[in-house]
Amino acid sequence: MSTKHTIPSDEDLTAFIDGELTQEEAARIEAIVKDDENVAERLEFLTRASLPFEQAFAPLLSEAPREKLAAMLAAIPAHDSAKSDAAPAPDRRRFLGALAASLVAGIAIDRAVIGIGRSLSSKDENSEWRAVVADYISLYTAETLAGPIPGRQEQAAQLAGLDEKLGLSLSPEAVALPGIDFKRALLLQYDGKALAQVAYLDPETGPMALCIVKSDAGPKAPDLENRKGMNVVYWSNGTHAFMLIGYAAADRMTAIADGVRARVAV
């Protein structure tokens, strides 16, 4: 493996993914990717974990304090490249700055879409979706999930939308976690497939989520792993894969997941 090249930053790789580099710069990145396995893996991760910030968070931008948002955007380094004088289209770094400003302001994220780019190599699908979800949940803070707890009727209405897309039968009682507040149920997307996320706020440890995707990988007994500083309990049945992710201790997460498994019927 060659070590003579300069390792590109995540900003460089993201600009490469977004098609923002000049032809010469893009060719340089391509050459490094072919020569350096670590850079290739990082590019692959950034491609998969790419979030369409513009579509997902545009509704939040109008709510964020303009002065704070402007300061966040000004802090993001401009990319220096030989381009036309036309105004550049908003890129993901600008929307990442907007997201950060929104979170600082305590604005809750009510809807989002996880868009996963084309895979650069074949890997375990179940591992991939858990990695992407962990990256996404790591953005959550207690402030992200602040606000009143929805009533049972509203919870049922949110869960009904997940039932339709994933062929599930979820009730507020089935997804209730002991001592942990239900906050909202979201319909997201992973690799072109619907992904259900039920978000919670644990008064002791912070954000927690139950996530579900359709899967034909077959039944799998519960297992435990750690991602982004969070404990993940994951399992699957004949039709769906599940994961419970949060900052609670491993034994507590396992006990909570056992309760969910016993109640969630598909």
Side-chain angles (χ1 to χ4, degrees), residues 1-14 16-17 21 25-48 120-121 123:
M1 182 182 300
S2 172
T3 58
K4 295 180 180 180
H5 55 252
T6 301
I7 302 299
S9 66
D10 281 359
E11 181 181 359
D12 292 332
L13 294 176
T14 302
F16 176 79
I17 294 168
L21 299 181
E25 291 171 326
R28 182 181 69 86
I29 296 293
E30 289 176 354
I32 295 174
V33 168
K34 291 179 181 178
D35 189 50
D36 192 318
E37 182 179 352
N38 291 331
V39 176
E41 289 180 354
R42 186 60 182 169
L43 177 64
E44 178 181 356
F45 171 81
L46 292 173
T47 301
R48 289 199 187 101
L120 301 182
S121 65
K123 292 189 177 181

Side-chain angles (χ1 to χ4, degrees), residues 6 33 39 48 92 112 138-139 154 156 178 192 204 211:
T6 301
V33 168
V39 176
R48 289 199 187 101
R92 79 186 62 194
S138 69
L139 295 174
E154 184 177 350
E204 297 181 10
C211 300

Side-chain angles (χ1 to χ4, degrees), residues 150-164 167-177 182 184-185 196 198 200 210 212 242 259-260 262-266:
R152 187 194 183 284
Q153 184 174 358
E154 184 177 350
Q155 291 182 29
Q158 293 180 17
L159 292 169
L162 308 184
D163 294 349
E164 179 181 353
L168 296 170
S169 179
L170 300 176
S171 67
E173 291 75 21
V175 300
L177 306 185
F182 176 107
R184 55 180 170 264
V198 184
Y200 307 87
L210 171 66
I212 311 168
F242 302 79
V260 172
R263 295 190 303 272
V264 173
V266 179

